[in-house]
Amino acid sequence: MNKIKCECGHVNPEGTVLCEACGKPVEENQHIDGNNENKLLNMRYDGSARRSKTYNKTIVDKIWNFFSSVKVGVWLIAITLIASSLGTIFPQEMNNQSPLPAEQYYEENYGMAGQIYYQLGFHDLYGSWWYMILIASIGVSLVIASIDRVVPLYRSLKKQKPKRHETFMKRQRLFGQAEYASEQDYHRVIDQLKERRYKVTQENGHVLAEKGRFSRWGPYVNHIGLIIFLLGALLRFVPSMYVDANVWVREGETKMLEGTEGEYYIKNEDFIVEMYDENDERFKESIEKQGGSVPKNYQTNAVLYQRTDESLPGVDPELKQVKEGEIRVNEPLKIDGFAIYQTTYQLNEFKTMTFKLHERSDADEQSVGEFTVDLVDPKSEYTLDNGYRIELYDYYPEFEMKDGVPSSFSKYPKDPAFVFHVYPPGQEEPEVNFLAIGSNLDPSGENQYKIGITDLEMRDVTGLTIRKDYTLPFLGIGGAIFMIGVIQGMYWNHRRIWIQPKEQGFWVAGHTNKNWFGLKKDLEKALDGTSVEQPEDQQELKE
């Protein structure tokens, strides 16, 4: 690495624009920050050497320079925001409380647009690999951009001396010459700067008065906060750190809790719904606006089990009861870092249907035999005591006609339909019966027997959400640090005033990273009672 030695004796790193010690411009490097001898000095990063502005040879240099660019960072944020907005067009799969598979849910609720949305993968946008790469790229950009600027800036500010080069003084925005100032004026200015809470450093009569340097680190504190926040966001893709899963459990059913890696199971002992009284004058108007009954409370009386054996494919789990309780809205059941929330429900889902077989010609429909079909796990064949055999040839849990062909919209028994084959004793050719709620068809028109519904059993289904979130401390700490950086950089500013003694009087120059009005007021107070005039605000030097 080449070094640049200034006439003041200080050795600067390659790429330095302004000497770290005296501030003299390095002539061959003025193009780096756009400095021009006829303009004010560009004091961004105090002219310190930045890696991205110095090296551009190796692939590492090019990657570094790419991610250190503020424009690249802004573009990455803009692209991520646009991508994030796409995920809000329709609900994300993780927030979908429907028992339907994602493909059917989006098509049923949002038509062709929903189907395209699903096929493009936007239904799980925030869990997609390319979205995670975008988030990670923003983090990389923040880290590299911060290191590229904060390290040389810290080195430059740490090494600055009160004695500055004449060119440095003349090319500051605030500059004045007090040729007739007295020794008394000189000391009075220093004393009044100290009263203004400036830290004053002196070297052979040269003075540096400084305050608010900590505000220069505000943007980098912002970056640290954002990096921690983004780390928390990325950790949400680690199962041990974050779980947000849904499960539907029917009354009497025991199901594994998603996201617990098969360790915990839950049983829905009973589901209870309480509605507001429609005749109560306090609620009548609100209920009418809702257009129907409004739930006052709905809860799941649940039992939690923990698996005690090793999880092996095809082996029924051995479960041990560990907890029981009531799950209500905003009153979760908690265990081992997991919180189980009540989110939704479905009432009166069909559980079983009982059918009877009778002769079609019998006006009294005297039963020949009965059988019961479990609508969640139906058998393929039912044999009656008198030798009749019923075969469940086809079953449609949620019946619909699609392009003239019977089909099922979902696997859940909401509107079941059946195709039964009836085999009377000694008969090899079956009679075909098509049966649905409100329909009982004989496709051949020659059936001797008919099947009818005699009884049904219904049950409620509870929708639960399982959550575990160890990323909240990262998000909270990151957000707090970010706000500290915002306040640090917004409400304070770095002000510096240099005084350079001359044979007659002295020169005064001033610089701030923002709020020039405040710096001028400080100078006005510091020069009060002296013969020194207020320094000139020279926006641009004349040729």
Side-chain angles (χ1 to χ4, degrees):
M1 181 185 293
N2 297 326
K3 298 290 185 178
I4 301 172
K5 187 173 183 179
C6 181
E7 64 182 40
C8 70
H10 181 75
V11 178
N12 298 283
E14 181 181 359
T16 301
V17 178
L18 303 176
C19 175
E20 293 175 339
C22 70
K24 179 187 176 184
V26 179
E27 293 182 5
E28 62 269 26
N29 289 339
Q30 291 303 289
H31 66 283
I32 292 178
D33 272 338
N35 282 308
N36 185 303
E37 63 180 8
N38 295 321
K39 296 181 180 295
L40 300 176
L41 286 179
N42 187 342
M43 293 288 287
R44 184 178 299 170
Y45 316 114
D46 276 45
S48 52
R50 290 167 52 201
R51 191 185 196 284
S52 61
K53 297 291 185 180
T54 306
Y55 306 105
N56 191 27
K57 295 180 180 179
T58 68
I59 184 66
V60 174
D61 295 335
K62 295 183 184 300
I63 293 173
W64 182 279
N65 297 346
F66 176 80
F67 282 107
S68 68
S69 170
V70 174
K71 290 182 179 179
V72 169
V74 171
W75 272 109
L76 286 173
I77 292 173
I79 292 171
T80 304
L81 288 174
I82 293 171
S84 300
S85 66
L86 294 175
T88 65
I89 295 175
F90 299 130
Q92 288 290 289
E93 183 179 14
M94 71 178 100
N95 300 321
N96 172 17
Q97 301 298 329
S98 171
L100 294 175
E103 182 178 7
Q104 293 183 3
Y105 170 80
Y106 286 99
E107 183 179 3
E108 177 188 0
N109 289 276
Y110 308 108
M112 181 62 71
Q115 187 177 6
I116 295 173
Y117 191 79
Y118 171 80
Q119 291 174 346
L120 291 176
F122 292 152
H123 67 292
D124 188 25
L125 176 74
Y126 307 122
S128 61
W129 62 269
W130 60 269
Y131 188 82
M132 285 190 282
I133 289 176
L134 279 176
I135 297 294
S137 297
I138 294 175
V140 171
S141 177
L142 287 170
V143 171
I144 291 179
S146 298
I147 294 174
D148 188 65
R149 291 162 173 80
V150 74
V151 173
L153 178 61
Y154 170 77
R155 186 176 61 242
S156 178
L157 290 177
K158 184 179 180 181
K159 294 180 179 179
Q160 63 179 338
K161 297 179 179 179
K163 186 177 180 179
R164 310 300 277 181
H165 196 272
E166 287 189 357
T167 304
F168 178 88
M169 298 286 289
K170 290 179 179 179
R171 290 173 62 186
Q172 293 299 320
R173 177 170 168 177
L174 297 182
F175 174 69
Q177 303 180 52
E179 296 180 358
Y180 303 105
S182 64
E183 187 77 15
Q184 184 179 359
D185 291 336
Y186 172 84
H187 290 292
R188 184 178 178 85
V189 171
I190 294 175
D191 291 340
Q192 294 186 147
L193 284 171
K194 290 180 180 178
E195 291 176 4
R196 303 293 298 171
R197 297 189 299 278
Y198 277 82
K199 179 183 177 182
V200 176
T201 306
Q202 300 185 59
E203 180 186 358
N204 299 326
H206 296 264
V207 176
L208 166 61
E210 181 182 24
K211 74 174 179 180
R213 183 195 291 192
F214 75 97
S215 68
R216 295 291 290 275
W217 315 123
Y220 308 107
V221 173
N222 287 348
H223 289 184
I224 292 172
L226 281 174
I227 290 167
I228 295 174
F229 190 91
L230 290 174
L231 177 62
L234 288 174
L235 286 175
R236 290 196 161 206
F237 299 103
V238 179
S240 60
M241 295 295 294
Y242 181 78
V243 172
D244 188 358
N246 300 313
V247 64
W248 290 86
V249 190
R250 289 157 179 79
E251 286 180 315
E253 185 179 31
T254 301
K255 264 196 172 182
M256 182 185 73
L257 289 178
E258 297 291 334
T260 65
E261 299 181 354
E263 183 178 4
Y264 290 103
Y265 287 71
I266 190 168
K267 181 179 181 182
N268 180 358
E269 290 279 4
D270 189 22
F271 183 76
I272 300 171
V273 179
E274 299 174 8
M275 299 293 182
Y276 282 102
D277 185 359
E278 297 182 7
N279 297 318
D280 192 322
E281 293 297 330
R282 295 175 298 172
F283 312 121
K284 191 172 183 179
E285 184 178 350
S286 297
I287 293 173
E288 288 177 355
K289 288 181 179 179
Q290 291 292 326
S293 299
V294 177
K296 181 179 182 180
N297 172 53
Y298 51 97
Q299 69 182 54
T300 303
N301 296 337
V303 178
L304 282 176
Y305 297 93
Q306 187 174 21
R307 185 165 192 165
T308 57
D309 64 328
E310 186 178 355
S311 178
L312 295 173
V315 177
D316 291 334
E318 296 179 8
L319 303 177
K320 176 184 71 174
Q321 181 176 330
V322 290
K323 196 171 187 178
E324 62 180 320
E326 299 170 348
I327 307 174
R328 300 185 183 90
V329 177
N330 297 326
E331 295 181 19
L333 188 61
K334 297 182 179 180
I335 186 169
D336 195 21
F338 294 95
I340 307 166
Y341 289 87
Q342 180 72 62
T343 50
T344 187
Y345 62 88
Q346 286 189 358
L347 299 178
N348 302 325
E349 180 184 272
F350 293 111
K351 180 183 180 183
T352 64
M353 280 189 174
T354 300
F355 303 89
K356 71 175 181 179
L357 180 68
H358 63 88
E359 293 184 3
R360 182 174 292 275
S361 59
D362 184 0
D364 297 329
E365 298 184 353
Q366 190 71 29
S367 175
V368 174
E370 292 189 353
F371 62 97
T372 299
V373 177
D374 185 337
L375 300 180
V376 176
D377 186 20
K379 296 180 182 179
S380 60
E381 187 173 290
Y382 301 86
T383 302
L384 307 184
D385 294 338
N386 52 11
Y388 287 85
R389 186 165 58 90
I390 313 297
E391 180 185 278
L392 179 55
Y393 181 78
D394 224 335
Y395 169 47
Y396 309 99
E398 189 174 359
F399 173 69
E400 68 170 355
M401 293 296 292
K402 195 170 185 179
D403 299 326
V405 178
S407 63
S408 182
F409 187 78
S410 75
K411 62 181 180 180
Y412 300 99
K414 296 180 179 180
D415 185 14
F418 312 85
V419 176
F420 289 112
H421 284 184
V422 179
Y423 292 86
Q427 185 172 320
E428 296 184 359
E429 289 297 323
E431 294 183 359
V432 179
N433 277 257
F434 178 84
L435 186 64
I437 296 176
S439 299
N440 195 326
L441 305 178
D442 173 10
S444 67
E446 299 177 356
N447 285 351
Q448 182 182 353
Y449 295 95
K450 184 177 180 180
I451 295 176
I453 300 174
T454 62
D455 194 13
L456 55 86
E457 183 182 357
M458 309 184 83
R459 60 182 175 182
D460 301 329
V461 187
T462 182
L464 304 174
T465 296
I466 303 96
R467 288 202 180 111
K468 179 175 74 172
D469 195 351
Y470 291 151
T471 67
L472 286 178
F474 291 90
L475 301 178
I477 292 171
I481 292 175
F482 177 82
M483 291 308 301
I484 290 171
V486 169
I487 294 170
Q488 183 178 344
M490 182 178 294
Y491 293 102
W492 285 272
N493 43 82
H494 185 206
R495 301 177 186 179
R496 285 177 287 178
I497 297 172
W498 295 274
I499 298 177
Q500 188 174 91
K502 295 295 179 181
E503 292 182 3
Q504 291 185 344
F506 54 82
W507 288 358
V508 178
H511 179 267
T512 181
N513 60 327
K514 62 173 182 268
N515 190 11
W516 288 92
F517 176 79
L519 179 61
K520 291 177 185 179
K521 294 297 291 184
D522 280 352
L523 275 170
E524 184 180 326
K525 296 289 185 181
L527 300 177
D528 186 39
T530 70
S531 61
V532 182
E533 294 183 359
Q534 182 78 1
E536 179 185 355
D537 184 353
Q538 45 184 20
Q539 288 282 355
E540 185 173 320
L541 297 178
K542 297 179 180 179
E543 295 186 6

